[in-house]
Amino acid sequence: MDTQTVRKVAKLARLKLPEERVEALAGELGSIFKWIEQLNGLDTKNVQPMTSASALSLYLRPDVVTDGNKSAAITANAPDSMEGYFVVPKVVE
């Protein structure tokens, strides 16, 4: 990777890159891309795709709709309530 490409990538990523770090970063990115090229050469035809490193699945609880039966407890802290609803000042005339 050349220094001009490093500057362009830094600008696109909105990174403030000091000029003395450009050359070193170009070498580091070049070695990373070489390693990626090695990975591209691997045969992965018989490898199953993975979505996670572990084969655990999450527990799914039953989906039951309830009102919670807590309207009295919820409206107890309200400054004003009526029939289980909050009473607020009129905002539209």
Side-chain angles (χ1 to χ4, degrees):
M1 176 166 282
D2 61 348
T3 57
Q4 183 178 3
T5 306
V6 170
R7 286 187 191 97
K8 182 178 178 182
V9 170
K11 182 179 178 183
L12 291 173
R14 297 180 187 247
L15 297 174
K16 186 176 181 181
L17 186 62
E19 194 61 35
E20 59 271 6
R21 287 281 299 140
V22 172
E23 191 69 38
L25 192 58
E28 290 176 25
L29 289 175
S31 65
I32 291 170
F33 286 131
K34 285 179 187 175
W35 184 73
I36 291 172
E37 285 299 320
Q38 287 179 351
L39 291 176
N40 285 335
L42 296 176
D43 180 24
T44 58
K45 282 186 205 173
N46 297 325
V47 178
Q48 293 293 325
M50 294 178 13
T51 57
S52 176
S54 64
L56 300 176
S57 61
L58 295 176
Y59 166 75
L60 297 176
R61 64 181 173 146
D63 190 14
V64 179
V65 178
T66 65
D67 65 356
N69 296 325
K70 296 182 182 182
S71 62
I74 293 171
T75 57
N77 293 326
D80 194 11
S81 64
M82 180 187 301
E83 298 176 7
Y85 295 98
F86 295 104
V87 177
V88 295
K90 186 176 179 179
V91 293
V92 178
E93 295 187 33

